[in-house]
């Protein structure tokens, strides 16, 4: 169903004006179509080379449309594994649309989103995991989201999974061989060895599952909620961090009723700062109450909390932090004392950052502490694999579940039949990541997220 052998075309560059634009054609008629619309500057051009670059005119009904550069990649050595023609034309919107319609008139079809990459996958040029990384590369905004996507494209996850699958399959074949010849009482499996392998695979998968939290946060941006009582200076801090007046600041409590979100890239990491409504348990105002409810749901969604105070009562501050940490045990909470400019004495409490949001004091130190927190997590795992896709995360969790079951049953000396079923299920979940096991629903779900032309 998904495998089409017609010829597709799309504008691969962003819509609008530009110095140049690229139009991509892929499929068995790419070169045939090109021959009908292209007037090469080199005489007797028959496009027989495997790869070539050609200068010439694109014509329509004997009218010259543009002077273009044509790149030809013959199958199978092309992105899609099919014959590909790429036309670099001038970036006029008129020219781009005209070329597209001329090519469609010659029998090509407008490509669906992600169809070039889908064809690359279906033709075995890349696996599913690498296809997803291409979407991430296109979308990457920061150093780290780019880094993870490039590593994934280069096959770090794919190779690991293929390797683990192979080892499991080897054992599975032995188990199934034993099953087939059970009457003959073969004893070829080294169960101790098998248990060791299971332990090793489960450990690796658990590590990947754990890496998702940081991978996902770094890919989509780390969400940082600024919370605290009304009037402590949350909105002032929010504006200072973003370096512009995004949120309204006033000395009236309850000014920020609804939360406001904006993002910023610092040292290769994207942060999504959220200014929240001040927590005031005594309020009777209906709208303020709704705002506070949203503050709590933001805390739940955030990776980091900046808990802002404007008093210096150590006991109150530590107690409040303790209470919040108990409610949200997995959140990283930074305690901040704001309005430091108002106190005359020097105070320095452990694990508390003093700032003056209004005058910009301590802001850099705060940013350093936040970025360092993440940098440390990344450095710990240098050169190791980080996963960023929810799909992989879920598959690995399922695989761990079934492999743990196999391990348990192995210890209980359960019949090999049962081991075999669970091993197969785990293999399926691992295979789904790389696309060795797949179905149409998964594929359309992945490729529909791409833009047209990719
Ligand atoms: N002196 C001083 N005043 C501040 C500081 N930060 C905020 N304020 C003032 O505190 C009041 C409340 O600030 P705002 O940011 O709206 O607080 P929010 O309710 O927590 O969002 C405003 O009058 C701010 O000008 C600071 O660092 N020093
Ligand atoms: Mg506010």
């Amino acid at each position: 169903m998904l495998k089409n052998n017609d010829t597709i075309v799309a504008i691969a560059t962003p819509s609008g004006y530009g110095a140049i634009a690229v139009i991509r054609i892929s499929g068995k008629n790419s070169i045939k179509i090109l021959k009908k619309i292209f007037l090469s500057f080199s005489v007797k051009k028959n496009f027989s080379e495997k790869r070539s670059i050609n200068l010439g005119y694109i014509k329509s009904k004997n009218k010259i449309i543009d002077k273009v550069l044509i790149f030809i990649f013959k199958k199978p050595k092309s992105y899609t594994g099919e014959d590909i023609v790429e036309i670099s034309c001038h970036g006029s919107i008129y020219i781009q649309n005209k070329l597209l319609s001329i090519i469609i008139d010659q029998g090509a079809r407008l490509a669906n989103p992600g169809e070039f990459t889908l064809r690359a996958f279906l033709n075995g040029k890349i696996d599913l995991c690498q296809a997803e990384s291409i979407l991430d590369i296109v979308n990457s905004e920061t150093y780290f989201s780019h880094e993870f996507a490039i590593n994934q494209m280069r096959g770090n996850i794919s190779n690991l999974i293929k390797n683990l699958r192979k080892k499991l399959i080897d054992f599975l074949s032995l188990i199934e061989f034993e099953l087939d010849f059970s009457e003959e009482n073969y004893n070829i499996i080294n169960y101790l060895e098998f248990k060791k392998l299971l332990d090793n695979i489960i450990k690796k998968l658990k590590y990947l599952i754990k890496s998702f939290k940081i991978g996902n946060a770094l890919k989509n941006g780390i969400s940082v909620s600024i919370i605290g009582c009304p009037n402590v200076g949350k909105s002032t801090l929010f504006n200072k961090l973003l370096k512009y007046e995004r949120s309204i600041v006033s000395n009236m409590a309850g000014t920020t009723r609804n939360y406001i979100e904006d993002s910023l890239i610092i040292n290769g990491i994207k942060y999504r700062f959220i200014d929240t409504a001040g927590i005031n348990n005594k309020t009777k105002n209906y709208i303020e109450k709704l705002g506070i409810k949203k503050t709590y749901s933001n805390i739940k969604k955030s990776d980091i909390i900046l808990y802002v105070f404007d008093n210096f009562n150590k006991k109150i501050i530590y107690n409040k932090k303790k209470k919040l940490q108990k409610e949200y045990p997995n959140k990283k909470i930074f305690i901040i004392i704001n309005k430091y400019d108002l106190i005359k004495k020097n105070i320095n409490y452990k694990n508390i950052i003093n700032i003056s949001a209004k005058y910009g004091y301590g802001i850099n130190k705060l940013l350093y502490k936040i970025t360092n927190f993440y940098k440390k997590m990344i450095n710990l795992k240098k050169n190791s694999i980080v996963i960023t896709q929810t799909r992989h995360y879920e598959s690995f969790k399922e695989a761990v579940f079934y492999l743990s079951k196999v391990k348990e049953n192995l210890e209980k000396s359960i019949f090999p039949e049962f081991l075999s079923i669970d091993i197969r299920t785990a293999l399926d979940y691992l295979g789904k990541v790389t696309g060795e096991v797949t179905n149409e629903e998964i594929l359309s779900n992945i490729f529909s997220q791409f833009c047209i032309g990719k």
Side-chain angles (χ1 to χ4, degrees), residues 17-32:
Y17 294 98
I20 57 163
V22 174
I23 291 174
R24 239 180 183 181
I25 316 171
S26 178
K28 63 176 189 311
N29 290 332
S30 305
I31 292 165
K32 203 166 123 196

Side-chain angles (χ1 to χ4, degrees), residues 64-93:
I64 303 293
I65 306 297
D66 196 13
K67 186 175 171 182
V68 300
L69 206 53
I70 304 275
F71 298 78
I72 294 179
F73 308 87
K74 290 259 181 83
K75 71 171 190 184
K77 288 203 162 181
S78 73
Y79 180 65
T80 55
E82 305 172 330
D83 285 344
I84 284 193
V85 171
E86 283 187 6
I87 308 175
S88 285
C89 61
H90 290 104
S92 120
I93 292 175

